[in-house]
Amino acid sequence: QHIRLLRKTADGKGSNLTLIMQMDFGGNVPQMLVNNKAASSPQKMFDAISLNFYEWKKQGMFAKLQG
């Protein structure tokens, strides 16, 4: 479960992305593995956004998110 919020900066020259995540792996998973996954998932998502931002922008994906 996650919430993403993309907003333009006050000066209009950039964007702020806020991400709130909650993970429930369920079952009997060792805490070390849970902590490792919880720590690395947001970074992987931000890396994907950094790599694909301009292509996604050309495709109009951010206009779809804004409503």
Side-chain angles (χ1 to χ4, degrees):
Q1 177 178 351
H2 61 274
I3 299 170
R4 291 177 292 200
L5 181 61
L6 183 64
R7 291 185 177 160
K8 291 184 179 182
T9 55
D11 63 7
K13 294 182 181 180
S15 299
N16 290 320
L17 175 63
T18 302
L19 175 67
I20 301 170
M21 296 182 75
Q22 177 181 343
M23 296 179 169
D24 182 3
F25 292 98
N28 191 11
V29 179
Q31 192 63 40
M32 180 183 76
L33 294 176
V34 172
N35 291 340
N36 184 309
K37 183 66 174 170
S40 65
S41 292
Q43 184 62 50
K44 288 179 182 178
M45 185 179 293
F46 286 121
D47 289 346
I49 291 168
S50 296
L51 290 172
N52 296 295
F53 176 78
Y54 291 105
E55 182 63 31
W56 292 344
K57 187 174 179 181
K58 281 195 311 188
Q59 293 173 4
M61 289 185 68
F62 298 110
K64 294 175 191 174
L65 292 174
Q66 293 177 0

